[in-house]
Amino acid sequence: MREEVKIKILQSLLDEVTKKYDYFIANRERIYKETYEMAVKDSLTGLYNRQYFEDFVVKLIKKGLRENRDFSIIFIDLDNFKPINDNYGHTKGDDVLKKVAELFKQTFRDYDIIARLGGDEFVVVIENLPNKDRIEEVRKVFEEAFKDFNLSFSYGVANLKEVEPESLNEEEILNLMLILADRRMYEEKMERKRRQK
Amino acid sequence: MIVEVFSSNKKSFFFALKELKDKIDKRFDSYDFLIFSIHPKYGYQDLPYLIEKIFQTNNYAGFHAVNTFENENIVEGVVVAVIKFEKEGRINLFYVEDIDKEDSLEKTSNYLNTFKDKLHVIIGGLCKEKFGLFIEKLSENLNYWPIKNIIGGISSGNEENNEMLTYQFVDNIVIKNGFFILTFDNVEYNIEVALGFKPYGITYEIKKADGYKLYTVDDGKNFSYIVQNFLRDFENPDIRYLWYCPINILDEEDGYVATLRTFKEIGKDYVEFFGQIKEGQHFKLSFATPEELLEEDLKIAKQTKSIINYPDFAINFSCIARQYVLEDKQNQEPEIYTSVLNCPLFGFFTFGEIGPDKHYKKLKLYNETSLLLAVKER
C-alpha cells in the first residue's frame, strides 16, 4: 500500500513539476521580465533600487579601472520633503516621490542610471563628468514642477578618479564615492540654507 | 554527567512511575534532574502530583509525546531521562504557563538574551496553533548572534474531549498553553538539523497566506486546487500521503532551503500546514524516500561525533510526519544516532521542531526534520 502511495504521490509531483515547467517555458519572457523588474526596481518609484545601483557601479568601477575611464555619482537629497509627509500624510508623500522619479527620468539622459537609495535620497550615475549647468537646469525645472510644496533638492558629485584605488577593492571604492558625494551634498544643502537666510 | 533512559508501558501512570523508580533506584544513589516523556493516554490532571509524590522531588520536567526514544527503541508509554552531574554541570528550569499573557514574550526573550552563553532545550505545546508564531516572534527579539544554543520540539499528542493533549508538567503545574525551557550550564554541546527532502521543479511564490494557511501562489492560482490533484487517484485519500512531499520554503536572501512545512489540511480555497506561511515567501515541492532521510540522519550524526567526540547523552527531536515517511525504517533513526554517538538517547516524535537556521541568524520552527543535540559536561 505504502509503495503505491509513494509512486502515485511522486507521479503527481512530477506531473505538477512538468505542468509548471511547461507554463514557465510558455511564459518565460513575461515571467523573466517581471522577476527581473522585481529584483532591480524600487517598487514605489519604478527607478532602479539600491542593490542594482551597487551592482552596476561595482561593474563600472572595474571597467573604469581597466580602461582608465572616469564616471560620476550624483547624490541627490530632496529639500523640504519631510513637511509633505507631516502635513499631507504618507500617501501624498509617496505620490510626490513617484512624480519626482518621473521628472528625473524625463530630465536626465536616457542612458544615465537613476536609482532611489531609500526615503528621499536618489543617485544618478553618469558615464563621464557631469555638466554643472545641466544639473542646475534640472533643478530649475524641478523647483518649478513642485513649487506648490516648495520642494527642491541638494546634490553632491564624486568621480572615480578622485579616489585612490590602489589599496581598495571595488566595494570599498563605491562606498568611498558615496561618502564623498553625500558629504558634498550635505555641504551644498547647508550653503543653500545659509544663502536663503 | 551520567545519563540513563528508562521506560515503562504499564497501563496505570502510578504503576508506570513505580516501575521507573525501581529501575532508577537500582542504578542511581542520587540524581539531579528527571525529564519525563509521557504518552497522552495517561491524561494530564494528576501527572505532576504523582511524579512529585513518587520521586519526592521538584527537579523534573515532563511533557506529552506519542512516541519517545529510549535509546534505540521507540516507546509508547512513560520514558524518563535521569541526569546526574559529576562536575560543574547544572540545569535550570524556566517556564511560561500562558503564551497569550502580555509579558510572556518579553520575559522569555529577556531570559534567553541574558543567558545567551548557555544551552536551552525548549519544549512546548501546540497552544492552539500559536506556538510556532510565538517562536517566530521570539526569534525577532533575540539580540545576539550566533543563535546556535537553542533546540526543542512541540509535544505530540491526541485530541480528547475537545482538548489537544500536548501539555507540559513542571512544579506541580500542568502547562496547557505554554512551554518550559531546560537551561544547561557548564556543558559542551552541538546541534544539527537533518532535512533530507530534495526540492523539485520551479519555485512557487506565495501570494496570499494567513497564519498557517496558504491560499494562492504565483499569479493567484489556488494552491488547494494544485494539491487536490495529488490525491485525486486515491479511493480514500489521507492527508498523510502528502507528508511524502512537504514544501521546502526557501531563504529569501540566500535561496537555500530554510524550513519544511508539512500538510495538515486541505480546504476548498486553502491548504493548512503545521507552521507559519508568509506572503512573499518562495517554496519548492519536495520528495524523499526513507533511505534518503536516513542518509541525512547519518550525516548529522557523524558531523556531531566530529564535534563532540564522547557525548554524555543526546536528544533527538524528530517530526511525527517524518516518522510516517520513514515507514518500517523509523527505528533506524534512533539506531543511527545511538550507534554513531555511542551514548544514551532521549527524545520524541514531535508536532514541530525548534532549532537554529543555517546561518544561526534566527530561531526556526521546522516541520519534518530531525534535530540532534549532543551534550557533554564540562
Side-chain angles (χ1 to χ4, degrees):
Chain A
M1 173 61 188
R2 281 297 189 90
E3 280 309 304
E4 188 202 342
V5 169
K6 257 191 297 186
I7 290 166
K8 279 185 176 170
I9 290 290
L10 187 58
Q11 189 53 54
S12 300
L13 179 73
L14 296 176
D15 286 350
E16 171 58 20
V17 167
T18 312
K19 224 187 288 170
K20 192 164 162 65
Y21 185 71
D22 288 346
Y23 177 82
F24 179 76
I25 294 294
N27 295 275
R28 66 182 157 188
E29 219 165 282
R30 180 181 60 80
I31 291 169
Y32 178 75
K33 197 164 169 258
E34 282 171 10
T35 313
Y36 176 77
E37 294 268 312
M38 265 166 52
V40 305
K41 294 282 176 79
D42 171 49
S43 57
L44 177 68
T45 61
L47 296 175
Y48 288 108
N49 60 21
R50 183 178 196 118
Q51 188 60 54
Y52 179 82
F53 159 74
E54 289 179 356
D55 293 346
F56 180 80
V57 173
V58 163
K59 278 183 207 153
L60 213 55
I61 291 169
K62 275 184 193 160
K63 192 176 161 197
L65 295 177
R66 198 173 55 236
E67 298 173 8
N68 193 28
R69 285 167 66 166
D70 206 359
F71 75 93
S72 310
I73 291 174
I74 308 173
F75 194 108
I76 296 174
D77 185 83
L78 302 188
D79 299 337
N80 304 323
F81 177 71
K82 193 175 173 291
I84 299 175
N85 270 341
D86 293 346
N87 299 332
Y88 302 96
H90 285 269
T91 311
K92 186 71 192 168
D94 287 351
D95 200 34
V96 169
L97 285 175
K98 281 184 209 165
K99 287 187 175 134
V100 166
E102 206 44 51
L103 190 135
F104 282 156
K105 274 193 242 176
Q106 285 165 11
T107 47
F108 284 101
R109 295 166 305 184
D110 286 349
Y111 44 87
D112 295 332
I113 296 292
I114 312 166
R116 179 175 172 231
L117 292 186
D120 59 352
E121 290 178 348
F122 300 83
V123 275
V124 184
V125 185
I126 296 183
E127 285 201 47
N128 46 40
L129 301 184
N131 180 335
K132 203 172 175 230
D133 292 343
R134 175 77 191 113
I135 303 177
E136 288 301 335
E137 243 173 67
V138 171
R139 183 147 61 188
K140 226 182 256 174
V141 174
F142 186 97
E143 285 173 352
E144 179 58 28
F146 295 102
K147 64 180 177 204
D148 292 350
F149 298 111
N150 192 27
L151 198 62
S152 183
F153 65 78
S154 301
Y155 70 93
V157 182
N159 308 322
L160 173 63
K161 292 215 166 165
E162 284 181 287
V163 296
E164 195 60 61
E166 275 178 23
S167 59
L168 302 175
N169 63 32
E170 288 85 5
E171 281 82 12
E172 288 166 338
I173 293 172
L174 163 67
N175 284 336
L176 194 55
M177 287 179 77
L178 271 176
I179 290 167
L180 267 179
D182 184 23
R183 199 174 68 197
R184 286 170 184 164
M185 178 280 297
Y186 181 75
E187 282 163 4
E188 206 229 1
K189 197 182 274 272
M190 291 300 110
E191 179 57 29
R192 277 157 54 80
K193 273 190 183 164
R194 266 197 297 275
R195 265 189 274 141
Q196 276 169 7
K197 275 180 190 171
Chain B
M1 169 173 28
I2 301 169
V3 177
E4 284 196 45
V5 187
F6 303 96
S7 72
S8 171
N9 289 314
K10 295 255 188 235
K11 275 187 183 168
S12 133
F13 188 63
F14 177 81
F15 288 114
L17 289 185
K18 278 274 194 198
E19 185 184 24
L20 289 172
K21 186 162 188 325
D22 288 345
K23 286 181 182 177
I24 294 168
D25 287 347
K26 278 181 194 151
R27 303 279 301 163
F28 288 85
D29 294 331
S30 66
Y31 41 81
D32 295 297
F33 207 88
L34 302 170
I35 312 173
F36 290 93
S37 178
I38 303 159
H39 194 281
K41 70 186 174 191
Y42 295 108
Y44 62 89
Q45 273 158 348
D46 299 328
L47 306 195
Y49 166 76
L50 288 172
I51 291 170
E52 293 190 15
K53 186 178 162 63
I54 291 171
F55 289 91
Q56 292 294 310
T57 181
N58 55 7
N59 289 329
Y60 74 93
F63 57 87
H64 277 138
V66 290
N67 288 111
T68 308
F69 310 127
E70 181 206 14
N71 303 315
E72 67 276 21
N73 303 314
I74 298 171
V75 178
E76 277 187 31
V78 187
V79 180
V80 61
V82 185
I83 299 173
K84 182 181 169 65
F85 292 109
E86 293 180 296
K87 299 176 204 163
E88 299 292 311
R90 264 185 315 144
I91 291 185
N92 182 54
L93 175 68
F94 170 93
Y95 60 88
V96 166
E97 272 189 82
D98 184 1
I99 58 167
D100 291 331
K101 268 195 180 164
E102 224 174 276
D103 62 344
S104 296
L105 184 66
E106 195 188 343
K107 230 170 75 178
T108 311
S109 44
N110 283 346
Y111 179 78
L112 293 172
N113 285 328
T114 305
F115 299 109
K116 59 187 171 202
D117 56 339
K118 302 188 196 313
L119 165 68
H120 304 285
V121 177
I122 178 165
I123 296 175
L126 272 178
C127 305
K128 297 179 192 116
E129 322 296 342
K130 282 186 290 187
F131 193 53
L133 302 176
F134 182 86
I135 291 294
E136 294 270 342
K137 282 190 207 149
L138 182 63
S139 174
E140 288 166 18
N141 284 10
L142 297 181
N143 61 15
Y144 63 94
W145 182 87
I147 302 171
K148 56 195 299 191
N149 62 329
I150 305 171
I151 185 172
I154 297 180
S155 286
S156 48
N158 40 38
E159 203 171 324
E160 224 167 78
N161 304 324
N162 289 326
E163 277 188 278
M164 190 49 130
L165 299 187
T166 58
Y167 299 159
Q168 290 72 49
F169 316 100
V170 293
D171 254 358
N172 213 357
I173 294 169
V174 176
I175 299 176
K176 291 186 173 184
N177 194 42
F179 61 91
F180 66 74
I181 297 174
L182 298 178
T183 300
F184 287 76
D185 198 5
N186 292 319
V187 292
E188 286 172 37
Y189 59 90
N190 183 63
I191 293 170
E192 295 289 336
V193 180
L195 300 170
F197 287 86
K198 295 197 170 53
Y200 282 85
I202 295 165
T203 308
Y204 295 81
E205 185 184 355
I206 297 171
K207 275 283 146 66
K208 189 178 168 204
D210 185 21
Y212 288 15
K213 286 180 181 169
L214 166 55
Y215 292 87
T216 58
V217 293
D218 297 340
D219 44 7
K221 227 175 281 155
N222 182 352
F223 191 61
S224 163
Y225 176 73
I226 294 173
V227 175
Q228 281 172 37
N229 267 340
F230 280 56
L231 298 176
R232 68 172 187 266
D233 292 336
F234 294 101
E235 256 179 55
N236 299 304
D238 184 331
I239 190 75
R240 291 179 302 175
Y241 296 168
L242 296 174
W243 291 1
Y244 281 102
C245 59
I247 63 169
N248 285 9
I249 294 183
L250 308 176
D251 182 83
E252 289 311 302
E253 282 170 27
D254 297 341
Y256 65 87
V257 177
T259 189
L260 305 177
R261 285 286 175 259
T262 306
F263 292 90
K264 188 181 178 200
E265 187 188 307
I266 306 174
K268 201 176 157 203
D269 62 346
Y270 69 86
V271 177
E272 190 174 359
F273 293 88
F274 281 99
Q276 197 182 10
I277 303 289
K278 289 181 193 162
E279 286 176 6
Q281 281 181 325
H282 294 81
F283 71 86
K284 287 188 178 215
L285 295 167
S286 70
F287 188 84
T289 60
E291 292 75 16
E292 285 168 327
L293 296 184
L294 294 170
E295 207 176 291
E296 192 73 8
D297 292 338
L298 182 62
K299 205 169 105 188
I300 66 158
K302 285 180 175 171
Q303 175 75 11
T304 301
K305 176 80 178 162
S306 72
I307 295 166
I308 306 283
N309 200 0
Y310 295 104
D312 294 330
F313 81 108
I315 301 181
N316 174 217
F317 299 94
S318 188
C319 184
I320 210 147
R322 193 179 179 93
Q323 178 187 20
Y324 181 83
V325 175
L326 282 168
E327 304 166 4
D328 55 349
K329 294 188 174 64
Q330 55 183 270
N331 269 302
Q332 290 186 27
E333 196 167 59
E335 274 170 23
I336 286 171
Y337 295 142
T338 46
S339 65
V340 173
L341 298 175
N342 196 21
C343 71
L345 179 77
F346 181 66
F348 63 101
F349 282 120
T350 69
F351 275 178
E353 308 78 62
I354 299 157
D357 79 335
K358 191 178 174 185
H359 296 311
Y360 306 116
K361 285 183 194 163
K362 298 172 208 154
L363 189 61
K364 295 201 87 72
L365 173 72
Y366 289 98
N367 287 166
E368 262 183 280
T369 52
S370 178
L371 271 58
L372 182 63
L373 165 73
V375 185
K376 186 182 172 70
E377 190 176 9
R378 204 179 275 150

